Amino acid sequence: MEELASELLKELNCDTAFSIKLPAGLPLIGGVQLDIAESVVITWVVMAVILILSIILTSNLKVHNVSRRQLVAETIVTKLEGIVTGMIGEEGKRYVPYLVSVLLYLGISNIIGLFGMKPPTKDLNVTAALALMSIILVEAAGIRTFGPRKNAAILEGSKAFSKDLMKKYNIPTAAYETFTSADEAKKYLETAKYPIVLKADGLALGKGVLICEDKQMALDGVDELMLDKKFGSAGNTIVVEEFMTGREVSVLSFVDGNTIKIMSSAQDHKRAKDGDQGLNTGGMGNFSPSPFYTKEVDDFCKAHIYQATVDAMKAEGRPFKGVIFFGLMLTPEGPKVLEYNARFGDPEAQVVLPRMENDIIDVFEACIDGTLDKIDLKFTDNACVCVVLASDGYPLEYKKGFEITGMENFKGKDSYFLFHAGTKFNEEGKVVTNGGRVLGVTALGEDLKKARANAYEATEWVNFDNKYMRHDIGKAIDEA
């Protein structure tokens, strides 16, 4: 069945960077949750049941000149067309093939889960397809949706696309080459300058970037991405990129298709260990604003990067609405784009949004309506620091299920926040660890040093058995 799902997904080519989460109570894909109307959730459950029944009913049938895959697909499509058209009319029929690919995966996950086995998660396009269908269904149901459509989310979904876009529209970025053949990539690396960067083209949970210090590391990296398929189909195409030096800064923005409004700058800490040692992670801490994001940097980016990106997407027939996350490198030659994300960053959002004065729903509405130019985006003149509490051993192997205590210490403290990441309720109703990055302890302060002191003070308020954190988040603050 996993092979069947993989084939359908490959044929349907569902790709987008918009991520959502399903209700935690549903036994579908663990750790995913989506907040939409209850009726829509119920419809998803009904569809999943129909899918499973369709697979069971056709499992032993043999039809002359008709493959089992085709028979299953046709049975499911017939059932789903009736449900979807009943929900949103005849317009819904054209979305059914995408829905089939999603539900097939969900059905397989359910069946495998019944036997206590881990559902297949290698193909990252599953979440992409699910996200696409969710945004289509909620929009069709009249629910206003904040986020990019599929053709715009490719800004993050394909590194090759984003690099080609920057090259075409003269947006500053590192020199690069794109490869679909491992042999051709290796041939190029024979004469390349090192260190060098390899990037999986597709979505790889933020881990598809390899910094290679020498040729052998780079050649091994090509094997890992393109031949060993460490990140599945995300590595079918890779980008080989010039290694840039300088300070790395993150800048989030709201976009309505025409207008872009910049949020505050932030600075991440990707490595697992103190002193920027260890493996890359999803982020071990963050602070905002970055003291290295000066007025000169801001002026340059507004003139050559931010609006240029929005205009380029519009010119390509892919108007972008939602959040664009600009990953910037402040090189000796000036700011350059490292990457785009089509979403709020984690833990960037944790340190940027607490400083925003506007009602975020007003901003979302303006992005949807194309009236962002009428919003005066404001941030308080203070600072915010987030320290991630992780499970010891992350990002490799780590134990889960430890009870978390001390969360009540954050009650009544308006300048302190405890963001949950890898947590869940156990059978006894207690909150326990359930992932690598467990909690984001976040605090405001009148300046960066005070915010950092507050955040580290708050890390002592909450505990679990294998608690781990970096002790040098915001070290760069002292270097500014």
Side-chain angles (χ1 to χ4, degrees), residues 13-39:
N13 189 29
C14 299
D15 59 332
T16 178
F18 188 90
S19 62
I20 52 84
K21 293 189 170 182
L22 283 170
L26 295 179
L28 302 178
I29 302 179
V32 206
Q33 187 156 5
L34 171 63
D35 294 319
I36 57 176
E38 183 178 357
S39 60

PDB file of all heavy atoms in Angstrom, residues 13-39:
ATOM      1  N   ASN A  13       1.830  14.888  -8.262  1.00  0.00           N
ATOM      2  CA  ASN A  13       2.799  15.975  -8.068  1.00  0.00           C
ATOM      3  C   ASN A  13       2.236  17.094  -7.200  1.00  0.00           C
ATOM      4  O   ASN A  13       2.201  18.252  -7.587  1.00  0.00           O
ATOM      5  CB  ASN A  13       3.250  16.550  -9.421  1.00  0.00           C
ATOM      6  CG  ASN A  13       4.413  17.518  -9.261  1.00  0.00           C
ATOM      7  OD1 ASN A  13       5.194  17.381  -8.332  1.00  0.00           O
ATOM      8  ND2 ASN A  13       4.517  18.473 -10.154  1.00  0.00           N
ATOM      9  N   CYS A  14       1.751  16.736  -6.025  1.00  0.00           N
ATOM     10  CA  CYS A  14       1.193  17.736  -5.115  1.00  0.00           C
ATOM     11  C   CYS A  14       2.310  18.400  -4.335  1.00  0.00           C
ATOM     12  O   CYS A  14       2.902  17.776  -3.474  1.00  0.00           O
ATOM     13  CB  CYS A  14       0.220  17.074  -4.146  1.00  0.00           C
ATOM     14  SG  CYS A  14      -1.171  16.299  -4.958  1.00  0.00           S
ATOM     15  N   ASP A  15       2.622  19.657  -4.625  1.00  0.00           N
ATOM     16  CA  ASP A  15       3.698  20.322  -3.906  1.00  0.00           C
ATOM     17  C   ASP A  15       3.281  21.725  -3.490  1.00  0.00           C
ATOM     18  O   ASP A  15       2.767  22.491  -4.258  1.00  0.00           O
ATOM     19  CB  ASP A  15       4.974  20.407  -4.759  1.00  0.00           C
ATOM     20  CG  ASP A  15       4.736  21.162  -6.060  1.00  0.00           C
ATOM     21  OD1 ASP A  15       3.577  21.134  -6.522  1.00  0.00           O
ATOM     22  OD2 ASP A  15       5.680  21.769  -6.586  1.00  0.00           O
ATOM     23  N   THR A  16       3.493  22.037  -2.196  1.00  0.00           N
ATOM     24  CA  THR A  16       3.261  23.368  -1.656  1.00  0.00           C
ATOM     25  C   THR A  16       3.948  23.448  -0.307  1.00  0.00           C
ATOM     26  O   THR A  16       4.191  22.412   0.309  1.00  0.00           O
ATOM     27  CB  THR A  16       1.765  23.681  -1.494  1.00  0.00           C
ATOM     28  OG1 THR A  16       1.635  24.969  -0.925  1.00  0.00           O
ATOM     29  CG2 THR A  16       1.067  22.691  -0.618  1.00  0.00           C
ATOM     30  N   ALA A  17       4.255  24.655   0.150  1.00  0.00           N
ATOM     31  CA  ALA A  17       4.974  24.798   1.418  1.00  0.00           C
ATOM     32  C   ALA A  17       4.041  25.139   2.578  1.00  0.00           C
ATOM     33  O   ALA A  17       4.461  25.251   3.697  1.00  0.00           O
ATOM     34  CB  ALA A  17       6.036  25.877   1.294  1.00  0.00           C
ATOM     35  N   PHE A  18       2.750  25.318   2.279  1.00  0.00           N
ATOM     36  CA  PHE A  18       1.814  25.693   3.341  1.00  0.00           C
ATOM     37  C   PHE A  18       1.590  24.506   4.264  1.00  0.00           C
ATOM     38  O   PHE A  18       1.255  23.427   3.820  1.00  0.00           O
ATOM     39  CB  PHE A  18       0.494  26.128   2.710  1.00  0.00           C
ATOM     40  CG  PHE A  18      -0.478  26.703   3.691  1.00  0.00           C
ATOM     41  CD1 PHE A  18      -0.467  28.070   3.943  1.00  0.00           C
ATOM     42  CD2 PHE A  18      -1.389  25.908   4.344  1.00  0.00           C
ATOM     43  CE1 PHE A  18      -1.366  28.617   4.837  1.00  0.00           C
ATOM     44  CE2 PHE A  18      -2.287  26.451   5.243  1.00  0.00           C
ATOM     45  CZ  PHE A  18      -2.276  27.813   5.488  1.00  0.00           C
ATOM     46  N   SER A  19       1.812  24.641   5.557  1.00  0.00           N
ATOM     47  CA  SER A  19       1.669  23.512   6.477  1.00  0.00           C
ATOM     48  C   SER A  19       0.506  23.729   7.433  1.00  0.00           C
ATOM     49  O   SER A  19       0.246  24.831   7.869  1.00  0.00           O
ATOM     50  CB  SER A  19       2.949  23.312   7.280  1.00  0.00           C
ATOM     51  OG  SER A  19       3.211  24.439   8.058  1.00  0.00           O
ATOM     52  N   ILE A  20      -0.207  22.637   7.742  1.00  0.00           N
ATOM     53  CA  ILE A  20      -1.338  22.694   8.661  1.00  0.00           C
ATOM     54  C   ILE A  20      -1.259  21.522   9.611  1.00  0.00           C
ATOM     55  O   ILE A  20      -0.364  20.699   9.523  1.00  0.00           O
ATOM     56  CB  ILE A  20      -2.687  22.674   7.903  1.00  0.00           C
ATOM     57  CG1 ILE A  20      -2.734  21.501   6.926  1.00  0.00           C
ATOM     58  CG2 ILE A  20      -2.904  23.954   7.179  1.00  0.00           C
ATOM     59  CD1 ILE A  20      -3.154  20.211   7.499  1.00  0.00           C
ATOM     60  N   LYS A  21      -2.237  21.431  10.516  1.00  0.00           N
ATOM     61  CA  LYS A  21      -2.257  20.325  11.460  1.00  0.00           C
ATOM     62  C   LYS A  21      -3.682  19.806  11.635  1.00  0.00           C
ATOM     63  O   LYS A  21      -4.614  20.584  11.737  1.00  0.00           O
ATOM     64  CB  LYS A  21      -1.693  20.769  12.811  1.00  0.00           C
ATOM     65  CG  LYS A  21      -0.206  21.088  12.740  1.00  0.00           C
ATOM     66  CD  LYS A  21       0.370  21.319  14.124  1.00  0.00           C
ATOM     67  CE  LYS A  21       1.884  21.382  14.056  1.00  0.00           C
ATOM     68  NZ  LYS A  21       2.493  21.548  15.373  1.00  0.00           N
ATOM     69  N   LEU A  22      -3.823  18.501  11.665  1.00  0.00           N
ATOM     70  CA  LEU A  22      -5.122  17.873  11.864  1.00  0.00           C
ATOM     71  C   LEU A  22      -5.441  17.737  13.351  1.00  0.00           C
ATOM     72  O   LEU A  22      -4.535  17.753  14.171  1.00  0.00           O
ATOM     73  CB  LEU A  22      -5.118  16.472  11.232  1.00  0.00           C
ATOM     74  CG  LEU A  22      -5.260  16.436   9.718  1.00  0.00           C
ATOM     75  CD1 LEU A  22      -4.991  15.020   9.249  1.00  0.00           C
ATOM     76  CD2 LEU A  22      -6.639  16.865   9.288  1.00  0.00           C
ATOM     77  N   PRO A  23      -6.726  17.591  13.713  1.00  0.00           N
ATOM     78  CA  PRO A  23      -7.075  17.445  15.126  1.00  0.00           C
ATOM     79  C   PRO A  23      -6.316  16.307  15.776  1.00  0.00           C
ATOM     80  O   PRO A  23      -6.287  15.196  15.258  1.00  0.00           O
ATOM     81  CB  PRO A  23      -8.583  17.156  15.074  1.00  0.00           C
ATOM     82  CG  PRO A  23      -9.030  17.770  13.790  1.00  0.00           C
ATOM     83  CD  PRO A  23      -7.887  17.587  12.842  1.00  0.00           C
ATOM     84  N   ALA A  24      -5.688  16.593  16.915  1.00  0.00           N
ATOM     85  CA  ALA A  24      -4.845  15.590  17.568  1.00  0.00           C
ATOM     86  C   ALA A  24      -5.641  14.352  17.964  1.00  0.00           C
ATOM     87  O   ALA A  24      -5.098  13.273  18.098  1.00  0.00           O
ATOM     88  CB  ALA A  24      -4.181  16.200  18.794  1.00  0.00           C
ATOM     89  N   GLY A  25      -6.959  14.510  18.146  1.00  0.00           N
ATOM     90  CA  GLY A  25      -7.777  13.382  18.544  1.00  0.00           C
ATOM     91  C   GLY A  25      -8.005  12.372  17.438  1.00  0.00           C
ATOM     92  O   GLY A  25      -8.411  11.242  17.692  1.00  0.00           O
ATOM     93  N   LEU A  26      -7.788  12.747  16.192  1.00  0.00           N
ATOM     94  CA  LEU A  26      -8.022  11.823  15.088  1.00  0.00           C
ATOM     95  C   LEU A  26      -6.805  10.922  14.898  1.00  0.00           C
ATOM     96  O   LEU A  26      -5.681  11.397  14.878  1.00  0.00           O
ATOM     97  CB  LEU A  26      -8.285  12.605  13.796  1.00  0.00           C
ATOM     98  CG  LEU A  26      -9.567  13.442  13.783  1.00  0.00           C
ATOM     99  CD1 LEU A  26      -9.674  14.173  12.463  1.00  0.00           C
ATOM    100  CD2 LEU A  26     -10.789  12.567  13.992  1.00  0.00           C
ATOM    101  N   PRO A  27      -6.991   9.614  14.722  1.00  0.00           N
ATOM    102  CA  PRO A  27      -5.859   8.687  14.565  1.00  0.00           C
ATOM    103  C   PRO A  27      -5.323   8.704  13.145  1.00  0.00           C
ATOM    104  O   PRO A  27      -5.331   7.700  12.453  1.00  0.00           O
ATOM    105  CB  PRO A  27      -6.495   7.331  14.902  1.00  0.00           C
ATOM    106  CG  PRO A  27      -7.906   7.474  14.425  1.00  0.00           C
ATOM    107  CD  PRO A  27      -8.285   8.907  14.702  1.00  0.00           C
ATOM    108  N   LEU A  28      -4.891   9.883  12.700  1.00  0.00           N
ATOM    109  CA  LEU A  28      -4.411   9.985  11.323  1.00  0.00           C
ATOM    110  C   LEU A  28      -2.900  10.131  11.345  1.00  0.00           C
ATOM    111  O   LEU A  28      -2.204   9.224  11.721  1.00  0.00           O
ATOM    112  CB  LEU A  28      -5.107  11.156  10.623  1.00  0.00           C
ATOM    113  CG  LEU A  28      -6.649  11.043  10.603  1.00  0.00           C
ATOM    114  CD1 LEU A  28      -7.246  12.268   9.942  1.00  0.00           C
ATOM    115  CD2 LEU A  28      -7.116   9.784   9.901  1.00  0.00           C
ATOM    116  N   ILE A  29      -2.384  11.274  10.961  1.00  0.00           N
ATOM    117  CA  ILE A  29      -0.934  11.464  10.981  1.00  0.00           C
ATOM    118  C   ILE A  29      -0.560  12.119  12.298  1.00  0.00           C
ATOM    119  O   ILE A  29      -0.990  13.225  12.575  1.00  0.00           O
ATOM    120  CB  ILE A  29      -0.473  12.340   9.803  1.00  0.00           C
ATOM    121  CG1 ILE A  29      -0.909  11.701   8.493  1.00  0.00           C
ATOM    122  CG2 ILE A  29       1.024  12.515   9.813  1.00  0.00           C
ATOM    123  CD1 ILE A  29      -0.530  12.495   7.279  1.00  0.00           C
ATOM    124  N   GLY A  30       0.220  11.439  13.121  1.00  0.00           N
ATOM    125  CA  GLY A  30       0.529  11.919  14.458  1.00  0.00           C
ATOM    126  C   GLY A  30       1.163  13.291  14.483  1.00  0.00           C
ATOM    127  O   GLY A  30       1.978  13.630  13.654  1.00  0.00           O
ATOM    128  N   GLY A  31       0.764  14.094  15.448  1.00  0.00           N
ATOM    129  CA  GLY A  31       1.374  15.396  15.658  1.00  0.00           C
ATOM    130  C   GLY A  31       0.922  16.460  14.703  1.00  0.00           C
ATOM    131  O   GLY A  31       1.509  17.518  14.604  1.00  0.00           O
ATOM    132  N   VAL A  32      -0.152  16.218  13.918  1.00  0.00           N
ATOM    133  CA  VAL A  32      -0.620  17.222  12.981  1.00  0.00           C
ATOM    134  C   VAL A  32      -2.001  17.719  13.400  1.00  0.00           C
ATOM    135  O   VAL A  32      -2.821  16.936  13.825  1.00  0.00           O
ATOM    136  CB  VAL A  32      -0.728  16.663  11.564  1.00  0.00           C
ATOM    137  CG1 VAL A  32      -0.589  17.785  10.581  1.00  0.00           C
ATOM    138  CG2 VAL A  32       0.299  15.633  11.309  1.00  0.00           C
ATOM    139  N   GLN A  33      -2.275  19.012  13.298  1.00  0.00           N
ATOM    140  CA  GLN A  33      -3.544  19.543  13.773  1.00  0.00           C
ATOM    141  C   GLN A  33      -4.045  20.686  12.911  1.00  0.00           C
ATOM    142  O   GLN A  33      -3.292  21.538  12.500  1.00  0.00           O
ATOM    143  CB  GLN A  33      -3.387  20.047  15.206  1.00  0.00           C
ATOM    144  CG  GLN A  33      -4.714  20.450  15.791  1.00  0.00           C
ATOM    145  CD  GLN A  33      -4.683  20.383  17.285  1.00  0.00           C
ATOM    146  OE1 GLN A  33      -3.654  20.130  17.847  1.00  0.00           O
ATOM    147  NE2 GLN A  33      -5.794  20.603  17.921  1.00  0.00           N
ATOM    148  N   LEU A  34      -5.352  20.677  12.617  1.00  0.00           N
ATOM    149  CA  LEU A  34      -5.953  21.704  11.771  1.00  0.00           C
ATOM    150  C   LEU A  34      -7.190  22.277  12.448  1.00  0.00           C
ATOM    151  O   LEU A  34      -8.067  21.532  12.875  1.00  0.00           O
ATOM    152  CB  LEU A  34      -6.338  21.099  10.420  1.00  0.00           C
ATOM    153  CG  LEU A  34      -7.174  21.977   9.483  1.00  0.00           C
ATOM    154  CD1 LEU A  34      -6.374  23.219   9.101  1.00  0.00           C
ATOM    155  CD2 LEU A  34      -7.580  21.210   8.252  1.00  0.00           C
ATOM    156  N   ASP A  35      -7.269  23.574  12.592  1.00  0.00           N
ATOM    157  CA  ASP A  35      -8.440  24.198  13.191  1.00  0.00           C
ATOM    158  C   ASP A  35      -9.346  24.740  12.098  1.00  0.00           C
ATOM    159  O   ASP A  35      -9.108  25.816  11.558  1.00  0.00           O
ATOM    160  CB  ASP A  35      -8.015  25.342  14.112  1.00  0.00           C
ATOM    161  CG  ASP A  35      -7.248  24.830  15.305  1.00  0.00           C
ATOM    162  OD1 ASP A  35      -7.657  23.792  15.832  1.00  0.00           O
ATOM    163  OD2 ASP A  35      -6.259  25.462  15.683  1.00  0.00           O
ATOM    164  N   ILE A  36     -10.378  23.993  11.736  1.00  0.00           N
ATOM    165  CA  ILE A  36     -11.372  24.449  10.768  1.00  0.00           C
ATOM    166  C   ILE A  36     -12.740  24.051  11.294  1.00  0.00           C
ATOM    167  O   ILE A  36     -12.865  23.426  12.342  1.00  0.00           O
ATOM    168  CB  ILE A  36     -11.126  23.859   9.365  1.00  0.00           C
ATOM    169  CG1 ILE A  36     -11.127  22.320   9.430  1.00  0.00           C
ATOM    170  CG2 ILE A  36      -9.840  24.356   8.779  1.00  0.00           C
ATOM    171  CD1 ILE A  36     -10.995  21.652   8.081  1.00  0.00           C
ATOM    172  N   ALA A  37     -13.787  24.395  10.564  1.00  0.00           N
ATOM    173  CA  ALA A  37     -15.148  24.115  11.004  1.00  0.00           C
ATOM    174  C   ALA A  37     -15.331  22.628  11.272  1.00  0.00           C
ATOM    175  O   ALA A  37     -14.813  21.787  10.547  1.00  0.00           O
ATOM    176  CB  ALA A  37     -16.132  24.594   9.943  1.00  0.00           C
ATOM    177  N   GLU A  38     -16.096  22.313  12.332  1.00  0.00           N
ATOM    178  CA  GLU A  38     -16.271  20.920  12.734  1.00  0.00           C
ATOM    179  C   GLU A  38     -16.856  20.083  11.601  1.00  0.00           C
ATOM    180  O   GLU A  38     -16.495  18.929  11.420  1.00  0.00           O
ATOM    181  CB  GLU A  38     -17.177  20.858  13.957  1.00  0.00           C
ATOM    182  CG  GLU A  38     -17.360  19.438  14.497  1.00  0.00           C
ATOM    183  CD  GLU A  38     -18.226  19.417  15.742  1.00  0.00           C
ATOM    184  OE1 GLU A  38     -18.619  20.499  16.184  1.00  0.00           O
ATOM    185  OE2 GLU A  38     -18.496  18.326  16.242  1.00  0.00           O
ATOM    186  N   SER A  39     -17.739  20.681  10.812  1.00  0.00           N
ATOM    187  CA  SER A  39     -18.359  19.930   9.726  1.00  0.00           C
ATOM    188  C   SER A  39     -17.342  19.481   8.702  1.00  0.00           C
ATOM    189  O   SER A  39     -17.454  18.391   8.128  1.00  0.00           O
ATOM    190  CB  SER A  39     -19.425  20.792   9.042  1.00  0.00           C
ATOM    191  OG  SER A  39     -18.843  21.962   8.509  1.00  0.00           O
TER     192      SER A  39
END
